[in-house]
Amino acid sequence: MKFISIAKKDFKELIRDRRGLVMILLFPMFFMLVFGFAFGGMGQTNQPRMIGVVNYDSGATMPGTGEQVNFGNNLTKILEESTYPDSDVHLFNVTATTENDADQKLKTREIDAELIIPSDFSQSVVALITSTMNQQITTTTSTNVTSTIIIRGDTGYIGFGLSQGILTGVMEQYQDKLMSEIQKAVTGTPGVEIDTYLQTRVESIPGTGSFTTFDFMAPGMIVFAILLLTTTVAAALTREVEKGTLARLKLSKMTSFDLLFGGLIPWSLIAAAQVIILLMVAVLIGFNWQGGLYTLLLAILVGIIGGVASISLGMIIAAFARNDRQAANLGTLISVPTSFLVGAFFQLPQVVIANFWGQPFQIYDLLPWTHILSALRSTLTFGGGWDTIAYHVGWAVLLTIILFIIGVVLFSKNRLKAEN
């Protein structure tokens, strides 16, 4: 039967094309691992929510004892120690910080929400205690002492919605426990009603009240397009090897560095064009672009750096690929999962490995495109200037230079041996 012979032939060809077989088998596995890591917590059901606490509480003096107390610090400690029911996993990963720093961390999604404790928080608790004691004397039935805590964040971000809900629940428990302890401490006041004391108010980050999820994802689409340059560059360089173009260039005095560095110019222009074209398309379909021409120029600069990083990765792939088809497959196999790993499509769990210049350095930050994405979001989504992206641009440049040097060395060694 002929179909059996054809099946055998195709099966043998499939087995011989080992790199293609690896592509078929490993590509879905990469997606499964990335999505599992992002949404499944790698086997951990509950994840701490990242919050920043700004404690303005100036403290107060307890009536009767004269003890100095700071209920803002007490509330912060409770947030740090709170855990999921029947679990030792903490509800929050708390960062004590300033309001300006917390706002910046919200924009870069380093934290999900910001909790602002007012300066008179302890004083209001003391006033509540005093008012409750007075009820014992005057036989009044209620008190109207209140204190307002602000929960701030990007209201269009799902991470903020989750954190806000958990914070609100913890605040209610804190209020109930506080009122119960006050009533127990002030004897002779059974059944005294205390009106809602602790109130919360939700605020949007300035300028993000009308933001949508797409406003956060659009820069990720740009980074994804820049990463796809890897596939094109790897296939193009491998094709040049197959056609013998590079063999002819070996006869000239042109060095491999000249050849590869010269190739950066047209591909970098492509990266710049991608930033402009994709930004315009995003604006047409609803992206809230901030900052105008200035942020566009910054985004083009950042995009070019990202393009050079992708070109460098393409060189590394071309150094090992046997033909342009394999180069394209390897480029796709590497660039697409990388776009997920840098957070182009969704926020990944924080995995901090160090701190540099007061900034947390995560495992994803070893990739230059992570910093490219952060810079694009800071300037295009939030309208930030050079001062807000300088840190990420610096890291992106450094990592891109390292990647380019590796690409030149490997490509020269494997493809331009005559020049060594």
Side-chain angles (χ1 to χ4, degrees):
M1 288 180 272
K2 293 182 179 180
F3 74 91
I4 296 179
S5 299
I6 294 174
K8 288 181 178 179
K9 176 187 73 69
D10 290 344
F11 182 74
K12 289 178 180 179
E13 289 179 351
L14 182 62
I15 296 299
R16 288 171 186 156
D17 186 10
R18 295 180 181 177
R19 298 194 183 189
L21 186 61
V22 170
M23 171 74 178
I24 294 171
L25 297 176
L26 291 187
F27 195 68
M29 185 186 71
F30 272 118
F31 272 88
M32 183 64 72
L33 288 173
V34 170
F35 274 93
F37 182 57
F39 295 113
M42 293 299 283
Q44 187 176 17
T45 304
N46 300 315
Q47 290 285 339
R49 308 306 307 177
M50 311 298 294
I51 65 170
V53 174
V54 181
N55 185 12
Y56 287 122
D57 189 11
S58 57
T61 303
M62 290 291 289
T65 64
E67 178 187 0
Q68 291 294 321
V69 293
N70 189 303
F71 285 95
N73 291 338
N74 176 258
L75 175 58
T76 302
K77 185 177 180 180
I78 289 175
L79 293 174
E80 292 173 342
E81 296 177 348
S82 297
T83 60
Y84 286 95
D86 302 321
S87 172
D88 58 355
V89 179
H90 287 84
L91 286 174
F92 307 105
N93 189 337
V94 178
T95 301
T97 183
T98 64
E99 190 169 343
N100 288 336
D101 185 59
D103 287 348
Q104 184 61 35
K105 282 182 167 61
L106 283 171
K107 293 179 179 180
T108 58
R109 301 287 170 90
E110 294 178 46
I111 58 175
D112 299 316
E114 169 187 355
L115 190 77
I116 302 178
I117 302 174
S119 59
D120 62 348
F121 184 66
S122 290
Q123 296 174 15
S124 63
V125 176
V126 170
L128 178 63
I129 295 173
T130 303
S131 177
T132 305
M133 294 173 64
N134 290 337
Q135 291 179 52
Q136 183 182 12
I137 300 173
T138 62
T139 67
T140 56
T141 60
S142 66
T143 180
N144 293 312
V145 178
T146 62
S147 182
T148 301
I149 289 181
I150 298 173
I151 302 176
R152 181 180 294 173
D154 180 359
T155 55
Y157 174 42
I158 187 173
F160 173 73
L162 293 172
S163 298
Q164 176 196 344
I166 298 175
L167 280 170
T168 301
V170 172
M171 293 296 103
E172 291 175 353
Q173 293 178 9
Y174 177 78
Q175 174 183 258
D176 293 342
K177 183 177 181 181
L178 181 63
M179 290 179 175
S180 176
E181 290 179 352
I182 290 175
Q183 288 178 341
K184 288 180 180 178
V186 181
T187 59
T189 58
V192 172
E193 178 184 350
I194 301 178
D195 294 338
T196 300
Y197 155 68
L198 194 58
Q199 299 179 353
T200 58
R201 184 173 76 243
V202 176
E203 290 185 356
S204 296
I205 308 172
T208 66
S210 61
F211 276 16
T212 65
T213 301
F214 180 64
D215 293 315
F216 188 76
M217 291 184 64
M221 300 297 108
I222 297 176
V223 172
F224 177 61
I226 291 173
L227 264 166
L228 287 182
L229 279 176
T230 299
T231 299
T232 307
V233 171
L237 287 175
T238 306
R239 197 176 301 117
E240 292 295 321
V241 175
E242 290 181 301
K243 290 181 177 179
T245 303
L246 294 183
R248 290 191 294 271
L249 287 173
K250 291 177 185 179
L251 301 176
S252 69
K253 295 182 179 180
M254 181 180 294
T255 65
S256 58
F257 180 83
D258 292 332
L259 172 66
L260 298 175
F261 189 76
L264 291 179
I265 298 175
W267 291 112
S268 297
L269 293 177
I270 293 296
Q274 284 180 321
V275 172
I276 297 173
I277 294 172
L278 290 175
L279 176 59
M280 295 303 103
V281 172
V283 170
L284 289 175
I285 59 178
F287 176 62
N288 293 298
W289 173 24
Q290 305 291 313
L293 181 60
Y294 174 55
T295 59
L296 174 60
L297 294 176
L298 290 177
I300 291 174
L301 171 63
V302 172
I304 290 174
I305 298 171
V308 174
S310 297
I311 295 165
S312 303
L313 182 58
M315 292 180 192
I316 297 174
I317 294 172
F320 298 99
R322 294 179 181 177
N323 52 56
D324 60 342
R325 180 184 173 186
Q326 289 183 349
N329 288 340
L330 285 172
T332 304
L333 179 64
I334 294 173
S335 62
V336 174
T338 299
S339 65
F340 284 89
L341 288 174
V342 302
F345 303 109
F346 46 75
Q347 186 74 8
L348 293 171
Q350 290 207 357
V351 186
V352 178
I353 58 177
N355 283 277
F356 296 104
W357 299 288
Q359 298 277 353
F361 192 89
Q362 301 188 69
I363 190 169
Y364 322 111
D365 292 331
L366 294 171
L367 300 171
W369 302 278
T370 304
H371 302 282
I372 297 299
L373 177 58
S374 296
L376 287 177
R377 280 178 177 156
S378 294
T379 189
L380 293 178
T381 303
F382 298 103
W386 173 254
D387 57 325
T388 64
I389 68 172
Y391 172 82
H392 291 293
V393 171
W395 271 112
V397 170
L398 175 62
L399 294 171
T400 297
I401 291 174
I402 294 173
L403 201 61
F404 179 74
I405 292 174
I406 294 173
V408 170
V409 171
L410 290 177
F411 193 84
S412 300
K413 180 180 179 180
N414 293 353
R415 298 299 192 183
L416 303 172
K417 294 180 180 179
E419 291 185 8
N420 293 333

